[in-house]
Amino acid sequence: MKHELVLVLDFGGQYNQLIARRVREAGVYCEMLPYSAPIEKIRDKKPIGIIFTGGPASVTDKGAPFIDEEILALGIPILGICYGMQLISALCGGTVRKAAQREYGRVGISLGDSGLFRGCEKETVCWMSHTYHVDRLPAGFLTTAFSANCPAGAFENKEKRLYGVQFHPEVNHTPEGRKILWNFLYGICGAKGDWRMSAYVDDMITKIRDKVGDRKVLCAMSGGVDSSVAALMVHKAVGRQLTCIFVDHGLLRKNEGDQVEEVFNRQFDMKLIRVNAQRQFLDRLAGVSDPETKRKIIGEEFIRVFEAEARKIGKVDFLVQGTIYPDVIESGLGDAAVIKSHHNVGGLPDIVDFEEIIEPLRDLFKDEVRKAGLELGMPEHIVWRQPFPGPGLAIRIIGEITDEKLDILKDADWIFREEIKAAGLGNEINQYFAVLTGMRSVGVMGDERTYDYTLALRGVTTTDFMTADWARIPYDVLEKVSSRIVNEVKGINRIVYDITSKPPSTIEWE
Ligand code: XMP
């Protein structure tokens, strides 16, 4: 099925993926391209509308990201957001001006008469984040909104179908934002809204079935959301022609390996091979305390175990990968610095003998992957699983890993998670886990002196895991967790709660 398409051109703004998600939430499929995408490519995709995102530059900067101005003449409706609006202005002969003061945060705004603001409160608030704003409007444009510091809060040239907003309609702090995007999509671009997850899933299953025919497919399953949904989709398409290899490195959370086996092997009757390689991994990790060395060893060992298992299966025709859309998006302005090496199952294509890769989630954002999982009948505890690092508990045991420490951490982490869920906080805190620090301290239990480990609890709220705030877990919940852990888990006599945000900390401790 061919969906109607909206293109989001990326100028490097921090909310860009959010714009794309909002468009899809409104029922319209969209893709993000770097601002430098050639006009032929844009034209060939036949978008019903184009959105220019915000970005850190100013159009007056030397080397600021510009576009082929012919895009404006294609007759396709365009909405410029923040930098995007200033760009439209500059390309059409208007000017921008540095404001006396950077405008940042929630700001009162008056919305005027425009198709973009149909049905919106006229006096409302919006989220601003800019230093420059449009000063002299290009010929043929009208101002449609203003704030105290920004005389051109929005503008348009209805005839040319060009629209701009200086504020950010995509963020929650702009209460009328969704309506504004909706108006652009449905009122101005004439969208029908044909993007539905159920249809997408059915369509993808048919496509995979047609492609695979009677041939063989292999998938590396980690138990995480992406690889699980990808595997289940392929399984629905071709049943037991798909073999999944699940390498259990023993560094998963308590009972997790059994759960994966239970759900996929028994509930879905998938051909899933669980390789119990705990000993092998722990032996290789013995005596290692450097975090990056741990990651490297686990990555290498994973490949080795997977390869040995795959060799038993022999040549396959297809390899499934759980790549999702944010992994595919080519950013407008290059990538951020790498702080930790995240190697999951990236090296597999080099070691498996296969003809082609199948990536059923390549078009989907994370929240859409979850929706697809629910469509496929996947249990909620897998669909809503919090992110879990590929190297697992190895990077939550500070310093050297031993069997004893691993058991202690698994039990403590289990209790923490159980209590967070019992307190009804499971959906509010985006990631929460326990860390076994290498530190021992003196305690007293009954009449006995103890000299045991200190456990740290970490809970964060975040939308993208790039930045995060520490979760304000109520004291009574923390108290219960603390008392249960020291009473029920031997080897821990002190518990601390991590109250640093990211940055400057990272979410994981290693
Ligand atoms: P940090 O610790 O960098 O974590 O703030 C950000 C997110 O990434 C996860 N994480 C990893 N995921 N392999 C992974 O697959 C890794 O080596 C790894 N290290 C961190 C972390 O759990 C958080 O969600």
Side-chain angles (χ1 to χ4, degrees):
M1 194 168 90
K2 189 92 186 92
H3 303 282
E4 56 191 5
L5 170 76
V6 164
L7 281 181
V8 177
L9 288 193
D10 178 7
F11 290 89
Q14 55 176 326
Y15 309 123
N16 293 356
Q17 287 202 17
L18 195 56
I19 299 174
R21 281 171 48 195
R22 291 278 180 262
V23 174
R24 290 194 186 181
E25 272 169 24
V28 179
Y29 181 68
C30 79
E31 287 179 11
M32 195 142 101
L33 291 181
Y35 72 87
S36 52
I39 186 162
E40 296 74 31
K41 185 167 178 181
I42 292 172
R43 204 187 285 123
D44 287 352
K45 285 187 172 278
K46 300 196 172 53
I48 59 166
I50 301 176
I51 298 178
F52 296 167
T53 73
S58 156
V59 290
T60 54
D61 291 348
K62 232 174 123 208
F66 264 75
I67 48 156
D68 191 335
E69 61 185 295
E70 267 188 57
I71 293 177
L72 303 187
L74 291 175
I76 301 168
I78 295 179
L79 173 64
I81 296 175
C82 196
Y83 178 84
M85 171 180 181
Q86 296 167 21
L87 182 69
I88 294 175
S89 171
L91 289 170
C92 295
T95 58
V96 301
R97 187 161 62 107
K98 191 167 184 173
Q101 214 177 341
R102 177 170 181 236
E103 200 175 23
Y104 181 80
R106 232 185 264 250
V107 171
I109 190 153
S110 305
L111 302 179
D113 189 21
S114 162
L116 211 48
F117 305 136
R118 179 172 302 152
C120 296
E121 288 288 331
K122 294 298 172 209
E123 298 299 324
T124 179
V125 288
C126 67
W127 187 259
M128 289 279 197
S129 171
H130 65 109
T131 312
Y132 285 80
H133 59 76
V134 172
D135 183 27
R136 189 165 46 75
L137 262 54
F141 279 73
L142 287 174
T143 301
T144 53
F146 63 89
S147 72
N149 289 314
C150 185
F155 71 9
E156 68 187 41
N157 181 331
K158 208 169 155 187
E159 196 186 323
K160 291 195 171 152
R161 308 178 87 188
L162 302 176
Y163 297 79
V165 287
Q166 182 53 63
F167 57 89
H168 289 273
E170 68 277 20
V171 304
N172 282 333
H173 305 298
T174 304
E176 298 289 8
R178 282 173 204 231
K179 212 175 277 166
I180 293 170
L181 288 174
W182 181 280
N183 284 335
F184 176 66
L185 298 169
Y186 288 87
I188 293 164
C189 303
K192 293 188 285 296
D194 61 6
W195 174 245
R196 295 277 173 280
M197 191 47 66
S198 52
Y200 179 82
V201 167
D202 289 346
D203 192 39
M204 186 52 77
I205 290 175
T206 311
K207 268 196 199 144
I208 297 169
R209 193 175 292 138
D210 290 347
K211 185 172 184 168
V212 171
D214 57 2
R215 291 178 288 170
K216 282 209 276 186
V217 192
L218 183 67
C219 175
M221 179 115 125
S222 68
V225 181
D226 302 344
S227 67
S228 300
V229 175
L232 191 53
M233 219 184 258
V234 177
H235 174 72
K236 293 267 176 187
V238 300
R240 292 178 72 86
Q241 280 162 250
L242 167 73
T243 307
C244 291
I245 299 180
F246 166 45
V247 175
D248 185 350
H249 51 25
L251 302 160
L252 297 171
R253 287 166 290 200
K254 187 170 163 172
N255 296 346
E256 208 160 44
D258 294 345
Q259 249 179 29
V260 169
E261 209 178 347
E262 165 63 31
V263 169
F264 294 101
N265 234 340
R266 281 185 269 291
Q267 210 168 312
F268 288 111
D269 191 31
M270 216 184 239
K271 199 196 279 177
L272 176 107
I273 300 170
R274 174 178 179 180
V275 190
N276 285 315
Q278 166 157 9
R279 202 58 275 145
Q280 198 168 326
F281 277 86
L282 285 181
D283 287 348
R284 285 243 13 228
L285 287 166
V288 178
S289 44
D290 173 59
E292 285 298 292
T293 314
K294 286 182 189 174
R295 279 194 171 79
K296 195 158 162 279
I297 290 175
I298 292 166
E300 283 170 7
E301 204 54 35
F302 181 90
I303 299 279
R304 198 168 302 164
V305 174
F306 189 87
E307 191 174 23
E309 205 56 43
R311 212 176 284 133
K312 292 184 200 160
I313 297 171
K315 185 172 169 11
V316 292
D317 302 286
F318 301 93
L319 179 71
V320 182
Q321 299 250 283
T323 321
I324 68 170
Y325 194 52
D327 307 331
V328 178
I329 299 175
E330 208 185 314
S331 133
L333 296 178
D335 294 321
V338 175
I339 311 291
K340 296 178 188 181
S341 61
H342 285 198
H343 39 139
N344 292 330
V345 288
L348 287 186
D350 298 334
I351 61 149
V352 177
D353 189 7
F354 71 103
E355 299 276 320
E356 220 180 304
I357 288 190
I358 297 182
E359 293 174 313
L361 313 179
R362 214 185 142 79
D363 295 332
L364 304 184
F365 284 106
K366 191 84 183 184
D367 42 354
E368 294 177 311
V369 172
R370 295 192 209 274
K371 264 193 212 157
L374 292 172
E375 288 288 337
L376 291 161
M378 187 173 274
E380 300 236 347
H381 69 266
I382 296 193
V383 168
W384 293 109
R385 176 166 284 171
Q386 41 171 322
F388 185 68
L393 301 182
I395 56 165
R396 292 180 182 169
I397 293 174
I398 307 307
E400 194 181 337
I401 301 160
T402 62
D403 289 37
E404 185 212 6
K405 285 185 190 169
L406 197 52
D407 287 341
I408 292 176
L409 180 58
K410 280 185 184 175
D411 287 343
D413 182 68
W414 173 270
I415 294 172
F416 182 36
R417 287 187 294 130
E418 202 168 60
E419 290 301 330
I420 290 291
K421 274 186 227 137
L425 298 170
N427 292 335
E428 270 167 52
I429 307 175
N430 304 98
Q431 198 173 0
Y432 50 97
F433 52 88
V435 175
L436 190 62
T437 75
M439 199 189 89
R440 283 171 189 262
S441 70
V442 175
V444 53
M445 275 254 192
D447 294 332
E448 300 260 316
R449 174 189 189 275
T450 57
Y451 188 59
D452 285 334
Y453 289 114
T454 297
L455 183 88
L457 302 175
R458 179 81 161 137
V460 294
T461 53
T462 173
T463 47
D464 57 7
F465 299 88
M466 305 289 282
T467 62
D469 196 7
W470 58 277
R472 275 39 173 193
I473 298 177
Y475 283 168
D476 54 337
V477 179
L478 287 172
E479 183 188 348
K480 181 139 190 240
V481 173
S482 164
S483 111
R484 271 196 66 191
I485 293 176
V486 286
N487 280 301
E488 294 174 36
V489 184
K490 204 166 169 297
I492 295 173
N493 67 354
R494 191 176 297 273
I495 304 214
V496 295
Y497 185 53
D498 182 347
I499 52 165
T500 34
S501 56
K502 171 185 179 177
S505 285
T506 51
I507 296 174
E508 303 288 347
W509 275 37
E510 284 200 334

